[in-house]
Amino acid sequence: MKYDVYGVGNALVDIQARVSDQALAATGFDKGIMTLVDDIQQQSVLSSLGDVSLNRCAGGSAANTIVGIADFGGKVAYAGKVSGDEVGDFFLKDMRDLGITIEVAPAASGPTGTCAVLISEDAQRTMLTNLGVSITLSEADIDEAEIAQAKYLYVEGYLLTGESTKAAAYKAIDCAKRNNVKVAFTASDPFLVNTMRDEIWSLIEGPVDLFFCNEEEAKSLTKLTDPIACAAEIHKHCENVAMTLGANGSIIMHGGESFPIEGVATDAIDTTGAGDMYAGGVLYGITNGMSWKQAGHLGSHAASRIVSQLGARMEKKFSPEEIKQLMA
């Protein structure tokens, strides 16, 4: 196959800054959650930070996962909408420099989406997201011939929040099913699960072959309190489940079996992209000859490494030797 994974998501450029709790409180935004803002609100907050160092990279949930797979050496493609502005040009170059195929035509007008990621001293991230033209991703941007050449399609749940992006997500899923491509879907956010529970259940019971979620999302979805019971309940309806448990590791459900995956001890300084990188490790593993348990171990180690640094882009990539050791 041409690709291990073909991702579809909201294309955003992440602008990361480490801030004090005092500076974060002064912004007036709730700590640790994602809030949709307009360009003026976002720029006002960034300007208020003064001389704080800002780091920029191509981002968005599915994009982070696709970047992670590329970092492991996987073959990947991505569909997301940017504008023909400087920020959009940066996004495309950043992705393509990593060997990621992205051929969606840029929007003719409007700003490329951005996400200001404010990282506080306790490693929590407060995200102020201006979606920009990312919400204009449409069915016309989905290329069935390209999806047909992938082992897995990976769709982020955030796409369900917009009419055009939802249509793009469902077209991509339909294309995958017509061409015997497996479908992976990530819940993306507890708020999303709370507001779209029935729709997400329909996806889990229908076209989704692999469902990614965290403990909070699983509890919201199933209305259960025990994480193992949550994973087991979802597995009744979905062939494969990968549920993260923060520092306690994760649970992989496959073939009626449960595989507990231990957490990897680390000093967390930024949780941005932890779940995205975990998904990248699992997807790379199962499309490159690993067992589900081995893929879970790779995902766990990848998430641990990403929270020990600033930003969702892995500074120290896994060597082929490290990956072999994790498979042993």
Side-chain angles (χ1 to χ4, degrees):
M1 303 296 284
K2 185 176 178 181
Y3 306 117
D4 295 324
V5 183
Y6 186 104
V8 185
N10 285 321
L12 306 170
V13 170
D14 286 342
I15 306 166
Q16 301 142 347
R18 299 188 74 173
V19 299
S20 66
D21 284 341
Q22 182 180 7
L24 182 59
T27 69
F29 288 96
D30 292 333
K31 183 178 182 179
I33 68 168
M34 191 276 285
T35 304
L36 292 177
V37 298
D38 59 29
D39 190 53
I40 293 174
Q41 288 175 299
Q42 190 187 76
Q43 289 303 317
S44 175
V45 168
L46 291 175
S47 297
S48 73
L49 300 179
D51 295 330
V52 170
S53 177
L54 302 178
N55 180 59
R56 191 169 71 156
C57 69
S61 176
N64 288 339
T65 294
I66 292 300
V67 166
I69 299 167
D71 280 345
F72 288 122
K75 299 170 292 183
V76 284
Y78 178 77
K81 198 77 166 178
V82 298
S83 188
D85 55 12
E86 185 276 332
V87 179
D89 291 343
F90 170 85
F91 182 97
L92 294 176
K93 183 178 187 304
D94 200 30
M95 296 285 275
R96 288 169 177 162
D97 283 351
L98 295 169
I100 298 166
T101 299
I102 175 168
E103 300 300 342
V104 175
S109 61
T112 294
T114 50
C115 180
V117 185
L118 309 181
I119 302 140
S120 45
E121 295 156 355
D122 57 0
Q124 287 199 61
R125 75 256 197 259
T126 302
M127 297 182 290
L128 309 180
T129 303
N130 174 23
L131 291 169
V133 301
S134 69
I135 61 172
T136 66
L137 181 74
S138 70
E139 293 177 273
D141 297 312
I142 302 301
D143 189 335
E144 180 166 356
E146 287 289 280
I147 291 174
Q149 297 181 75
K151 298 174 187 175
Y152 260 89
L153 170 73
Y154 181 71
V155 179
E156 68 175 60
Y158 288 124
L159 293 177
L160 300 183
T161 61
E163 184 177 340
S164 181
T165 54
K166 180 188 286 193
Y170 276 100
K171 180 181 177 182
I173 290 170
D174 289 343
C175 291
K177 286 300 173 182
R178 277 197 296 271
N179 292 278
N180 298 313
V181 175
K182 296 282 190 181
V183 175
F185 180 85
T186 176
S188 291
D189 190 280
F191 175 77
L192 189 74
V193 176
N194 285 328
T195 56
M196 297 185 169
R197 185 176 293 103
D198 290 346
E199 184 168 6
I200 292 174
W201 265 123
S202 294
L203 287 166
I204 291 170
E205 294 169 344
V208 171
D209 300 286
L210 167 57
F211 181 65
F212 286 97
C213 61
N214 62 28
E215 183 177 352
E216 186 178 353
E217 291 156 356
K219 288 178 177 178
S220 175
L221 190 65
T222 63
K223 298 298 187 181
L224 300 174
T225 56
D226 179 73
I228 296 175
C230 290
E233 179 62 28
I234 298 169
H235 189 40
K236 290 178 183 177
H237 308 277
C238 187
E239 183 181 1
N240 307 292
V241 180
M243 184 177 76
T244 57
L245 304 170
N248 294 321
S250 65
I251 298 171
I252 298 279
M253 305 292 293
H254 171 71
E257 291 188 78
S258 174
F259 301 101
I261 308 297
E262 78 287 349
V264 180
T266 190
D267 291 324
I269 64 169
D270 175 17
T271 56
T272 306
D276 301 332
M277 188 57 68
Y278 173 83
V282 171
L283 285 166
Y284 172 81
I286 61 175
T287 56
N288 283 275
M290 290 187 184
S291 69
W292 283 86
K293 189 171 185 178
Q294 289 170 333
H297 281 298
L298 180 59
S300 188
H301 279 265
S304 173
R305 186 168 295 187
I306 209 72
V307 302
S308 68
Q309 57 159 70
L310 183 65
R313 191 66 60 82
M314 203 155 13
E315 293 173 359
K316 182 179 181 293
K317 297 180 183 180
F318 285 78
S319 67
E321 291 73 24
E322 285 180 295
I323 294 174
K324 286 179 183 177
Q325 288 174 5
L326 291 172
M327 291 178 67

